[in-house]
Amino acid sequence: MSRFLRQIESYWQQLRSVMSNEYRTIFSDGGAMLILIFALLIYSTAYSLAYAPQVLRNVPIGVIDQSQTSTSRSLVESFNAGPNTYVAYNPTDMEEAKNLFFDRKIYGVVYIPSDYEEKLLGGQQAVVAIYCDASYFLMYRQVFQEVVTSIGKTGAMVEFQRLIAKGANIPQAQAVTQPVIYQAHNIFNPYLGYGTFVMPAIIMVIIQQTMLIGIGMIGGTWREHGLYHKLCPPARRRMSTLPIVVGRGLVYLSIYAVTCFYVLALHYRLFHYPMNGATGTILLFLAVYMIACIALSIAVSTLFRYRENSLLLLLWTSIPLLMLSGVSYPREGMPDWLYNFGQIFPSSHGVNAFIRIQTMGASLSEVFDEIKALVILGVVYGGLACIGIHLVLKKEQADRCGQDAE
């Protein structure tokens, strides 16, 4: 048998030994199973249930009606007509409205002055004050949008009636009060739902973070107890690093292939998220993304000396990584150095590519830059994982030799 074939046979034996040990370790470790297998299912379901309503409805507001006329009452009724807001309180003055506002009983205040009807019907400009809670943007959008739309419709109706009274015909009055008619089409997110917007990004970050924590737990356990030598087949004295990285990677790739199949095939349909991506493009992207995440996780796991280190050092990074992906905070608003720092993580490229593919229906060529970046990260982190495991094996061998000498 040639040297090349003997080397291939040796690698194959090592690969099988590594995969067997890795599967045995995962399925005998309750904590690792919880993180690597069930966490993605639990978190994706929990977040999706929390965001299931998609859009905020019936946000409570308060209206101070100093006019107390039929015109002002008609305006107040229009605030209740839409699905976004309802008039929960009618405070008598601003002081009472402030108390309701700071007690979080209302999220907006509308102040209608006493001369509202007089100015409106007299052809003068009437002023209605709106106070919205801008500390919560979703509440702010619903209140501001509903109130401004209602006021605009009321003003246009009054102007329309005034023009008709002056002798204008209906088409002329409509052209003056509404010179431009627009049609809005919400592309990729028809209902402007928050869940549809944020869940693809959250799923990508969860994949990366559960891998980092779960693989880090296993790596810390093996290093803490000096168990890396068990990866070596019985017939060999030394262990190559490449079969370790590839073997462990294949194990995690197979596990996440199953959980991701659930997410994309069942979970997306249960919660009615958009599925506009081609199957082949999705599969290729997910394979490249998971390989990059696995390589990063194995490389990082070699730094942990204890099992608990992965939880303590990585659990808090989920929110910052979600922000660096450019979803919860626009990339255009980030400093260049912070944006460039985020590019070293697979999630920054994965979130952008997954949203464009699955939500927007992008083709493979349109996300080629993201996939290329993930391939580069996979190669770099794979090399670092080989170096890290080589150093761990070397140190473990040195420690065992020292113990034997004693």
Side-chain angles (χ1 to χ4, degrees), residues 143-157:
V143 172
F144 184 80
Q145 185 178 36
E146 189 70 37
V147 171
V148 169
T149 301
S150 298
I151 292 174
K153 288 180 178 179
T154 300
M157 181 58 67

Side-chain angles (χ1 to χ4, degrees), residues 108-129:
V109 178
V110 179
Y111 181 86
I112 303 175
S114 57
D115 59 353
Y116 170 75
E117 184 179 66
E118 178 183 349
K119 287 188 174 182
L120 195 65
L121 299 181
Q124 302 179 49
Q125 191 174 52
V127 178
V128 175

Side-chain angles (χ1 to χ4, degrees), residues 29-32 34-36 39 43 209-221 300-301 304-318:
D29 188 331
L34 179 63
I35 298 296
L36 292 170
Y43 277 112
Q209 293 305 100
T210 53
M211 283 186 182
L212 281 169
I213 295 173
I215 297 175
M217 288 174 61
I218 293 176
T221 301
V300 171
S301 71
F304 298 139
R305 296 187 62 183
Y306 302 100
R307 175 186 181 89
E308 296 78 12
N309 289 353
S310 66
L311 283 170
L312 295 174
L313 297 177
L314 297 175
L315 190 60
W316 62 272
T317 61
S318 301

Side-chain angles (χ1 to χ4, degrees), residues 26-141:
I26 293 172
F27 288 102
S28 62
D29 188 331
M33 287 181 61
L34 179 63
I35 298 296
L36 292 170
I37 299 175
F38 298 109
L40 177 59
L41 311 181
I42 294 171
Y43 277 112
S44 60
T45 303
Y47 277 111
S48 296
L49 289 173
Y51 300 140
Q54 293 275 11
V55 179
L56 289 176
R57 299 294 189 190
N58 297 321
V59 179
I61 64 173
V63 177
I64 304 173
D65 186 3
Q66 298 289 349
S67 179
Q68 294 295 328
T69 58
S70 59
T71 306
S72 65
R73 284 192 291 272
S74 176
L75 177 61
V76 174
E77 290 173 0
S78 68
F79 299 151
N80 287 321
N84 296 330
T85 62
Y86 75 97
V87 180
Y89 294 92
N90 296 101
T92 56
D93 53 29
M94 283 300 298
E95 192 61 34
E96 183 182 351
K98 284 182 182 179
N99 293 332
L100 293 170
F101 184 85
F102 291 122
D103 289 340
R104 313 302 288 176
K105 294 181 179 179
I106 57 176
Y107 294 90
V109 178
V110 179
Y111 181 86
I112 303 175
S114 57
D115 59 353
Y116 170 75
E117 184 179 66
E118 178 183 349
K119 287 188 174 182
L120 195 65
L121 299 181
Q124 302 179 49
Q125 191 174 52
V127 178
V128 175
I130 306 171
Y131 302 88
C132 299
D133 184 2
S135 65
Y136 190 174
F137 280 170
L138 292 178
M139 293 285 192
Y140 173 83
R141 187 188 75 171

Side-chain angles (χ1 to χ4, degrees), residues 320-369:
L321 288 175
L322 182 63
M323 296 183 66
L324 287 175
S325 69
V327 173
S328 59
Y329 191 81
R331 293 180 177 179
E332 291 77 10
M334 295 182 190
D336 290 339
W337 68 268
L338 188 59
Y339 170 76
N340 293 329
F341 173 72
Q343 301 307 292
I344 68 175
F345 299 102
S347 57
S348 295
H349 307 281
V351 166
N352 186 35
F354 185 66
I355 291 175
R356 293 175 64 189
I357 294 171
Q358 188 72 331
T359 303
M360 304 171 67
S363 63
L364 189 61
S365 61
E366 291 172 325
V367 294
F368 178 76
D369 291 340

